[in-house]
Amino acid sequence: QVHLAESGGGLVQVGGTRRLSCEASGSSYSRNVMAWFRQAPGKEREFVSGISWDGGSTAYADSVLGRFTISRDNAKNTMTLRMISLKPEDTAVYYCAAKGTYGIGRDEYQYGHWGQGTQVTVSS
């Protein structure tokens, strides 16, 4: 079982930078694929980025490629999403997710563990 808790959300100006963190608890964390999803008002939750259990493989949505960087530290049970050049369309609740099966999935239904989410608002 993995328990996830996000932090780092807040209000940021267009073009600004924000770092989100996901702290995980549970003995199986280091063996889980981790990912960030986001949900904007009135829209479905969408994949943002994912990282393999050892950090060797990453994946990004086209909309954030080149602006967002995902990383993890299994020794500290944390995952981070560094976001730069933020745009108003990045405004959303960002969720941390984990799954115990192999491969970075882009479908939210592949993930069995979720955090409560953290709000990121990009203002112009």
Side-chain angles (χ1 to χ4, degrees):
Q1 187 72 14
V2 178
H3 177 71
L4 305 172
E6 305 92 338
S7 62
L11 180 65
V12 61
Q13 291 187 333
V14 170
T17 299
R18 201 77 183 181
R19 186 188 301 268
L20 303 182
S21 294
C22 175
E23 183 173 351
S25 60
S27 60
S28 62
Y29 165 76
S30 62
R31 298 191 295 273
N32 275 255
V33 169
M34 303 292 295
W36 289 97
F37 285 76
R38 68 185 181 186
Q39 187 168 21
K43 296 187 177 181
E44 295 185 350
R45 190 153 55 183
E46 64 175 0
F47 174 82
V48 175
S49 182
I51 188 166
S52 60
W53 71 273
D54 63 351
S57 295
T58 58
Y60 296 92
D62 289 344
S63 59
V64 307
L65 190 63
R67 299 188 299 120
F68 291 11
T69 303
I70 192 171
S71 61
R72 68 188 293 168
D73 184 340
N74 288 343
K76 296 181 179 179
N77 283 4
T78 58
M79 176 178 66
T80 299
L81 185 69
R82 184 172 182 268
M83 307 182 292
I84 66 171
S85 302
L86 283 162
K87 305 174 181 180
E89 51 263 44
D90 294 318
T91 295
V93 177
Y94 284 72
Y95 296 90
C96 172
K99 71 182 187 77
T101 54
Y102 179 80
I104 299 172
R106 295 173 181 257
D107 188 332
E108 63 174 311
Y109 298 106
Q110 296 176 283
Y111 292 80
H113 305 283
W114 293 86
Q116 292 300 307
T118 185
Q119 174 72 47
V120 174
T121 302
V122 184
S123 68
S124 54

